[in-house]
């Protein structure tokens, strides 16, 4: 496949009246650009994979923390209800018999 592309590139350059050595230099330059773009693309893909792994880990942690927060909110509401019940019971127990407030 790259041989076919190189031949195509040589044919295009030959149309522009370039010498064989000029053609070779231009093809080498273009191949260098292609290699650089390939390396940058591979690097970006690797970075995206790393970021996706980090995002997955953060999503799991977020789910865990959110679940813990919901459990703690339920427990807090339950404790507040218990405290309110105790507050309501204490005055009636402390009141001497037969005397109102």
């Amino acid at each position: 496949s790259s041989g076919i592309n190189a031949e195509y590139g040589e044919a295009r350059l030959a149309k522009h009246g370039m010498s064989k050595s000029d053609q070779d230099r231009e093809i080498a330059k273009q191949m260098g650009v292609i290699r650089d773009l390939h390396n940058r693309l591979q690097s970006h893909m690797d970075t995206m994979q790393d970021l996706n792994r980090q995002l997955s880990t953060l999503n799991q942690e977020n789910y865990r923390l959110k679940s813990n927060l919901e459990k703690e909110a339920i427990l807090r509401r339950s404790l507040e209800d218990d405290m309110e019940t105790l507050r309501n019971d204490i005055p009636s127990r402390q009141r001497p018999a037969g005397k109102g407030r």
Side-chain angles (χ1 to χ4, degrees):
S1 171
S2 74
I4 294 170
N5 289 336
E7 290 171 12
Y8 172 74
E10 288 174 7
R12 279 187 47 226
L13 294 172
K15 283 184 179 179
H16 297 288
M18 296 180 83
S19 69
K20 176 72 172 138
S21 62
D22 287 342
Q23 290 176 22
D24 290 344
R25 278 192 291 278
E26 184 63 25
I27 289 171
K29 179 181 164 186
Q30 289 175 3
M31 293 300 289
V33 168
I34 290 169
R35 277 191 297 277
D36 180 54
L37 289 173
H38 173 77
N39 290 339
R40 288 170 50 195
L41 178 60
Q42 185 64 49
S43 174
H44 291 315
M45 288 171 52
D46 293 344
T47 299
M48 286 176 57
Q49 286 178 341
D50 289 343
L51 291 171
N52 278 330
R53 279 191 289 273
Q54 290 176 19
L55 180 59
S56 177
T57 299
L58 289 171
N59 279 334
Q60 291 170 1
E61 178 72 3
N62 186 47
Y63 178 81
R64 187 185 65 77
L65 291 171
K66 187 176 178 182
S67 177
N68 287 347
L69 181 62
E70 289 171 0
K71 288 175 187 174
E72 288 181 17
I74 291 168
L75 178 60
R76 184 189 52 120
R77 282 191 296 271
S78 175
L79 290 173
E80 286 174 349
D81 290 346
D82 290 349
M83 286 176 55
E84 186 62 30
T85 300
L86 287 174
R87 279 190 199 117
N88 291 336
D89 282 352
I90 290 173
S92 65
R93 289 183 183 175
Q94 291 178 346
R95 230 180 275 139
K99 293 187 178 178
R101 282 199 160 214

